[in-house]
Amino acid sequence: MKKKVVSVLLCATMVVTMFTGCGSAAGNGASNGGSAADATATDAASTGDSQAAAAGTSASGDQWFSSDIDTSEHVVINYVTTGNKPDNDNTTQMLDQLNKILTEKCNAEIQITYIEWTDYLTNYNLLLSSLDGSVDLVGTATDWLDAWPNAKKGAFLPLTEDMLSKYCPKTYAQVSEKNDWDSCKYNGDIYLIPEDNYAQWTNHGFMYRDDYAKEAGLTSGVNSWDDMDTYFASVKKNHPDITPWDSDGTQYTTLATGWMASHTPAVSIDGLGSYMFYGKSKDDLYTVYSPFMDDDTLYKFADMMKKWNDEGVWTKDVLNNTGAATRDEFAAGQTAADQHHTQTWYSTDSPKAKAAGFDCGFFYFGKETKNLTKLSVTHGAMAVSAASKNPERALMVYDLIRNDPECYRLFNYGIEGKQYTVTTTDGVDYLTRPDGYDATNDSIVTDYWWGRNDDLELPDATWDNDGKKKMSDEYDSFAIAYPYGQFVIDTDPISSEISSMSEVWETYMPQIAFGQSSDTKALVDEFRSKMKTAGYDDVLKYIQDQMTQMYGNK
């Protein structure tokens, strides 16, 4: 899934099969459309079902699309997503069933092309640039999958409102109510369909043991970095046989940006190729600055991290501790903390902790300052290739998968009874698994992060759903909408400076964030000096000029 992306962009691991599973039907039929679906199309033509599709109706007579749409020709829609190909044929079997429904309702079928995680961005952009007509629907994102650069290069088809309302009617009506189409425009044209009706929180923080927190005197749990400091000191004292946080040393960016969220009002700007730049505050969004370069906030972070290093919060070889399996160790009681995002807490760590006999709390970064920004609605979005031979039918297929309950469950969960079951408790339907279900052998892989719909989602029965609701309600009470959705900056003029700054970050931030220097002030000073040499001031001015040009004096 996005786990590789998330480690770079703070974003998100995904959970359950449609998140963490990655892949295609490699050689088993799905990548070629599926022979069963082809047979279905032939049968439909001979029985008259294609005439029903041509009229924009299903066989049952339900009207979905405009009756004047001609769908008499059967077409195959190629959906491109990021992820590794599956090594079983479950996805093919699901697509066979789904394609029967799609054939009935719009005389089309869908096949999946996967861009594997190794060198994913290079291969993804290469495929889109070919414009050879082999691609129709394209999963994309503005903050991690080069959506705007590809739109600017002509890889995506501009989508008119007339086109969307006719061929993607359910989605168009749903999005229009939220006024999110503006976030999908470049130079006045719509290029993306947002995933705007799916609530997800990928803000990071620390998972900790409630029993250990109480042992540390933190009866209300961990609510600040200072509380986390108290917690780690208590664990070290009372449980000397375990490492308080057995980190693998990869979380330096998350720690640094998390500290800034908790100690400044700064609002992070995505899509710049650098973690350095922020809006000043939610009351001064369009003044660009860097909390890493101003005042003493970074010095205080470096001091706290050196303290943790000296006290043994992590292993001495933390930056080379590649063998750490922190999440599994946390559930097994072998370490006292894990670090990831909200969804990992309620979907993985908290359920595993309860199964092990303890409760898992979550301290999210920004809690002290109530500094939290919702995900952009284009963190996951769908585009149509500019070279698609059937863009209208591609939109129809997307609309059905996003909004038709039967299509949605097949594409996201699989075949009922094989990949999932539904259990009703207190009037609520939950996603459960059949007896003997094994994710490795039984899962499907569609990597569909571009149109999930809370109206049709099944809450997973294994998750901490009470904790999820409580935390979501808390977030919703103060989190702001991502304010820079239309900020499409041309980074080409500053690409060399951004590259140099990234090298400085990768050299110095691991040392700062894991307390690897005896002189933290000298280390931070050197970091700032190197950033200046790399071109920080010029980049700051350029971004500010672009921001002012975009937003004026708002």
Side-chain angles (χ1 to χ4, degrees), residues 180-199:
D180 282 334
W181 286 121
D182 284 347
S183 296
C184 299
K185 290 180 179 178
Y186 175 67
N187 282 347
D189 291 324
I190 297 171
Y191 284 92
L192 311 174
I193 304 174
E195 186 179 68
D196 72 322
N197 197 45
Y198 178 74

Side-chain angles (χ1 to χ4, degrees), residues 65 74 77 93 105 115 163 166 215 259 261 291 310 327 345 355 379 389 429 468 471 476 485 488-489 514-515:
F65 301 106
H74 185 79
I77 299 302
Q93 294 175 26
K105 295 191 174 184
I115 306 296
M163 187 179 187
K166 184 172 184 177
E215 187 177 60
W259 179 272
D310 293 347
R327 193 148 303 138
W345 166 64
H379 176 70
K389 296 181 176 67
D429 288 342
K468 174 187 176 183
M471 192 64 76
D476 282 333
V488 186
I489 185 170
F514 284 99

